[in-house]
Amino acid sequence: VRYRSMHKAYPLSMGFAVCCAKGVVADYLAQKFVEDRDEVDRRRILAMALFSGSFCGCGYHVIFNVVFERVFGPTMGIATLLPRVVADAVVVFPFMYMPTFVFWDEAIRFGTLAHTYARWRSEIGGSMREYVKIWPVAMICTFTLVPLELRTSFIAGVSLCWLVVLSVLSH
């Protein structure tokens, strides 16, 4: 109850904190256990943490809980659910989420944004193929079953697994 009330009172702060921590855990797990690295790349973990906190925690709150609610109205069935899921798949993920992910990773790890667009172009196809395996169903659950103030936390839980996949694909 307290967790939920804190999300209602401080959605951006809670979203950033939860998702930043999730980004650290996801990339650490990817590096240590999926990639079997002896030493972790701390800059990569920082990039994932900042991306996760800023976009997944704050950006998703604004997009899904503010903008989508104003544009599509409350989720009241397939007529208002389907446009949300489609908008995430064809606008939010490819043109907001992925560019922001690549931006943070390029800026923190390499200190330049010179290759951001080329990298986005080379990675978007594979990322979209992985996206469709997880996120449409997760978005249906998000918009139908999860209370508005807990959407970013729910997405963070699903995203913990997703970021491990994305981290491995991108590195």
Side-chain angles (χ1 to χ4, degrees), residues 151-171:
R151 286 179 180 170
T152 54
S153 288
F154 175 77
I155 292 169
V158 175
S159 165
L160 178 64
C161 299
W162 165 252
L163 284 179
V164 172
V165 171
L166 186 63
S167 186
V168 170
L169 286 174
S170 296
H171 304 101

Side-chain angles (χ1 to χ4, degrees), residues 4-171:
R4 187 173 181 177
S5 65
M6 287 185 68
H7 272 278
K8 271 187 175 179
Y10 309 105
L12 296 175
S13 300
M14 287 296 292
F16 185 88
V18 168
C19 291
C20 184
K22 179 255 324 180
V24 170
V25 170
D27 197 51
Y28 180 83
L29 291 173
Q31 290 188 48
K32 288 301 273 185
F33 301 108
V34 178
E35 299 169 24
D36 199 29
R37 290 176 171 230
D38 291 329
E39 291 186 35
V40 296
D41 179 343
R42 292 175 192 262
R43 285 181 173 270
R44 184 173 130 179
I45 289 175
L46 177 61
M48 188 64 79
L50 292 173
F51 160 72
S52 296
S54 65
F55 191 85
C56 300
C58 298
Y60 272 167
H61 168 72
V62 171
I63 294 165
F64 295 149
N65 297 346
V66 178
V67 175
F68 276 20
E69 289 297 304
R70 288 183 185 159
V71 171
F72 303 119
T75 307
M76 301 295 286
I78 195 77
T80 56
L81 173 63
L82 191 57
R84 284 173 161 80
V85 175
V86 170
D88 182 59
V90 300
V91 177
V92 176
F93 179 78
F95 300 110
M96 297 170 84
Y97 179 102
M98 281 301 294
T100 306
F101 168 75
V102 174
F103 167 86
W104 279 111
D105 197 53
E106 289 287 318
I108 300 295
R109 290 180 59 222
F110 306 112
T112 181
L113 299 176
H115 305 290
T116 303
Y117 178 69
R119 181 170 162 201
W120 173 83
R121 284 195 49 161
S122 72
E123 292 180 10
I124 193 63
S127 296
M128 287 300 296
R129 282 188 290 283
E130 295 304 316
Y131 169 92
V132 298
K133 295 175 185 177
I134 299 169
W135 287 105
V137 171
M139 288 297 134
I140 289 169
C141 293
T142 300
F143 296 124
T144 58
L145 303 174
V146 179
L148 188 103
E149 66 274 7
L150 295 178
R151 286 179 180 170
T152 54
S153 288
F154 175 77
I155 292 169
V158 175
S159 165
L160 178 64
C161 299
W162 165 252
L163 284 179
V164 172
V165 171
L166 186 63
S167 186
V168 170
L169 286 174
S170 296
H171 304 101

